[in-house]
Amino acid sequence: MHDNWRQRFEESPDVLLGAFNQRTRVPVRDFFVGGEEFITIAGPCSVETESQLMATAHHVRQAGARVLRGGAFKPRSSPYAFQGLGIEGLKLLARAREATGLAVVTEVMSEGDVALVAEHADILQIGSRSMENYALLEAAARSGRPILLKRGMVATIADFLRSAQVILDNGNPWVILCERGIRTFETAMRNTFDAAGIALLKHVTHLPVIADPSHACGYRELVPALARIGAAAGADGLIVEVHPDPDAAWSDGRQSLDFAGFDAMMADLEPWVAVRAQGPGRHRAAERPVLEAVAG
Ligand code: PEP
Ligand code: MN
């Protein structure tokens, strides 16, 4: 193991925390991701219908979410599975934003869709399967919108940081990193949640880091525990799947919380958010000299 993080991640110099790279707070509407506030992003895996999206948006907002998530363009494991509503989904998301004041994040899958998605969303999501699509990263970066960059399911931390560097290189400083689980030998869960990766990212980068407990495990009964772990590891927020009737969801129902489950998770999380506020990831003044010291 290298103890010199600068050397280890030398291909991504601009993402590293340092004397000239202070913590980034990503501005979204009237709040920041990466500031003092723990930010919850919640909503369905896919935008399905107006009633599904509106009911979810109103519910997660009253339970404390700041951002509504929902896929309009869906990357699916099966080419025969539901691929998303496309532009109709984007319009529904924009309508939900109007109705609730929540910010909106949704995935953009191709360069050609960047302008359209940027017109409807506050944050552009780059999915796990697209993390190394540099042409897409460049186009998304140039939209100027904040980018929620999900870690590739087989990406190392160094790969992940290189993709963040591509966005910064293209003139967009507003990157939010998202740990969403990686593939390992373990098959009992959908992915393996890399909580240590969150701690490492908070230690070496100045970018906000959020956790996705839904895709990380694939089972709704485990989501609250992974959310707690993410907060305790120093994450700046969460992105979590919520659906009014998860068993009837068109995608990722098994890992989606229902409204009561979301409320319980949020209540359960409060003490861990308090721990995070005092944890090592928050000791900003103390952290910088450590990194500078190893930079030698
Ligand atoms: C999603 O957020 O619904 C999604 C497809 O996530 P990922 O890219 O992490 O698989
Ligand atoms: Mn999903």
Side-chain angles (χ1 to χ4, degrees), residues 45 69 74 190 215 241 251-252 255:
C45 178
R69 63 147 290 144
K74 292 303 300 177
R190 184 172 178 180
H215 293 87
E241 288 185 340
S251 60
D252 285 352
Q255 69 194 28

Side-chain angles (χ1 to χ4, degrees), residues 44-46 69-71 73-76 107 125-130 148 150-153 178-181 190-191 212 215-216 239 241 251-252 255:
C45 178
S46 303
R69 63 147 290 144
F73 295 98
K74 292 303 300 177
R76 301 304 305 283
E107 178 162 351
Q125 177 171 323
I126 301 290
S128 190
R129 292 157 192 79
S130 301
L148 172 49
K150 298 192 96 177
R151 181 176 177 182
M153 61 187 81
C178 177
E179 158 56 29
R180 48 78 74 204
R190 184 172 178 180
N191 291 293
D212 177 346
H215 293 87
I239 181 167
E241 288 185 340
S251 60
D252 285 352
Q255 69 194 28

Side-chain angles (χ1 to χ4, degrees), residues 5-64:
W5 301 110
R6 281 202 179 279
Q7 218 167 56
R8 185 168 185 90
F9 302 121
E10 67 189 353
E11 290 172 310
S12 312
D14 300 333
V15 310
L16 298 181
L17 188 63
F20 301 106
N21 285 333
Q22 307 281 308
R23 295 232 176 244
T24 294
R25 296 190 310 158
V26 174
V28 182
R29 287 171 75 88
D30 59 341
F31 60 92
F32 293 99
V33 181
E36 291 305 310
E37 188 186 352
F38 185 80
I39 299 295
T40 300
I41 302 172
C45 178
S46 303
V47 178
E48 298 169 5
T49 64
E50 178 158 15
S51 62
Q52 171 241 21
L53 190 68
M54 290 298 173
T56 308
H58 283 291
H59 188 87
V60 300
R61 183 192 153 83
Q62 65 80 28

Side-chain angles (χ1 to χ4, degrees), residues 164-176:
Q165 176 75 31
V166 169
I167 298 169
L168 265 54
D169 268 347
N170 280 274
N172 189 335
W174 310 131
V175 179
I176 303 162

Side-chain angles (χ1 to χ4, degrees), residues 126-135 137 152 154-155 159 162-163:
I126 301 290
S128 190
R129 292 157 192 79
S130 301
M131 188 207 79
E132 289 184 284
N133 181 345
Y134 285 6
L137 294 177
V154 294
D159 297 334
R162 272 193 296 272
S163 291

